[in-house]
Amino acid sequence: MVDTDRPRKWPAYAVAVLFLGYAAGKAAFALQARLGFPGGPPVSAAEAESYFLDAATAQWFATASGVLGACVALATVTALGRRVPRVLMLFVLAGMLLAVGGGAGIMIVDGFVGIGVGWRWYHGVLGVLVIGLFAEMLRSYAAATRRAAG
């Protein structure tokens, strides 16, 4: 029988690696002043022109969000991060799950159903894995920081 209440650290490390990979891809596109992501669907010149931010600026913001996401993921399994109040960390993780889930959800729907963005089926599979991994990280943090019933 598998103990599902046991906290695990590997999901947090995996999420941190994914966030750093996201940040690296966004940084690569920021240096080229392009919107999009390496391996993702191309962004047309018309879409890039109508975007509310300069492409390089937008990509640098996305790079920073990826690095910040990796730091939060690592905070769930480090002593320093465990000093953050549990309610605050759960609130941050829930917000991140909504944001990550939204992006991954677009990849899933477009990858499997097709809404015109250009994601493929393998991007959809990645989206499912990312949501599951992030949810497991959140569950594991909640289990690790839960007070023992008295």
Side-chain angles (χ1 to χ4, degrees):
M1 187 163 132
V2 176
D3 182 12
T4 58
D5 285 343
R6 195 185 81 192
R8 296 174 180 91
K9 291 185 177 186
W10 68 264
Y13 294 127
V15 168
V17 168
L18 287 173
F19 269 120
L20 290 175
Y22 171 82
K26 290 299 189 174
F29 270 40
L31 292 172
Q32 302 169 22
R34 293 176 50 196
L35 289 178
F37 190 80
V43 177
S44 71
E47 286 178 287
E49 190 65 33
S50 67
Y51 199 69
F52 71 98
L53 283 176
D54 167 64
T57 302
Q59 296 292 49
W60 284 120
F61 279 137
T63 300
S65 74
V67 171
L68 180 61
C71 290
V72 171
L74 292 175
T76 66
V77 293
T78 61
L80 181 62
R82 295 282 170 90
R83 291 187 192 140
V84 175
R86 181 177 193 264
V87 173
L88 176 61
M89 182 63 88
L90 288 172
F91 180 75
V92 168
L93 290 173
M96 288 174 64
L97 179 59
L98 288 174
V100 168
I106 291 169
M107 290 171 56
I108 293 165
V109 171
D110 192 34
F112 294 133
V113 178
I115 57 174
V117 177
W119 295 105
R120 304 294 214 187
W121 68 268
Y122 47 87
H123 295 116
V125 171
L126 179 62
V128 170
L129 292 174
V130 167
I131 290 173
L133 193 58
F134 201 98
E136 175 56 23
M137 179 186 72
L138 196 155
R139 188 217 56 82
S140 184
Y141 173 79
T145 58
R146 180 178 41 233
R147 290 197 177 115

